[in-house]
Amino acid sequence: QVQLVESGGGLVQAGSSLTLSCVASGSIFIGRAMGWYRQVPGKERELVASLGGGGTSSYADSVKGRFTISRQNGKKALFLQMDSLKPEDTGVYFCNKLSDVKWQWGQGTQVTVSS
């Protein structure tokens, strides 16, 4: 089984930046399509950024132009660079593979953006 660990969240003001990191035990990210997901209270977890196994990235309209998903050079970790943060970016961020057959979700990392 795979254990996912997200980190890098925090409490920041609007316009600030954060970098989220994701690592996994029991598996590797190389060759896998991966994504960052966000969940807020009372709403379904949604995909905000994805990175295909071949390196093609995609973003939700709400974060396009502000967030950047990437892999470590050695393909050992997944990152989400978050710039120009807005209050609506607030939520718990999780990483997982894009496949419908998901690994066990980690605890996520809380991102809170104040106005």
Side-chain angles (χ1 to χ4, degrees):
Q1 64 186 45
V2 175
Q3 180 178 345
L4 294 163
V5 180
E6 301 92 349
S7 62
L11 174 61
V12 298
Q13 293 183 328
S16 298
S17 296
L18 286 171
T19 301
L20 308 185
S21 300
C22 170
V23 296
S25 63
S27 185
I28 59 174
F29 296 152
I30 185 170
R32 295 187 183 275
M34 298 289 297
W36 283 98
Y37 300 78
R38 180 176 63 217
Q39 187 171 39
V40 298
K43 295 185 178 180
E44 185 178 346
R45 183 158 34 207
E46 65 175 345
L47 180 68
V48 298
S50 64
L51 185 65
T56 301
S57 61
S58 185
Y59 302 91
D61 289 342
S62 61
V63 308
K64 194 172 299 181
R66 299 186 297 113
F67 290 9
T68 304
I69 187 172
S70 64
R71 296 180 190 271
Q72 190 181 56
N73 286 340
K75 309 248 181 183
K76 298 178 180 179
L78 186 73
F79 303 97
L80 185 66
Q81 178 64 45
M82 310 165 70
D83 297 319
S84 302
L85 283 163
K86 303 176 180 180
E88 52 261 44
D89 297 321
T90 294
V92 181
Y93 285 73
F94 302 83
C95 64
N96 215 316
K97 56 180 179 176
L98 287 182
S99 172
D100 289 338
V101 183
K102 292 285 193 281
W103 290 320
Q104 178 71 43
W105 295 98
Q107 291 186 332
T109 185
Q110 176 71 48
V111 172
T112 303
V113 184
S114 64
S115 60

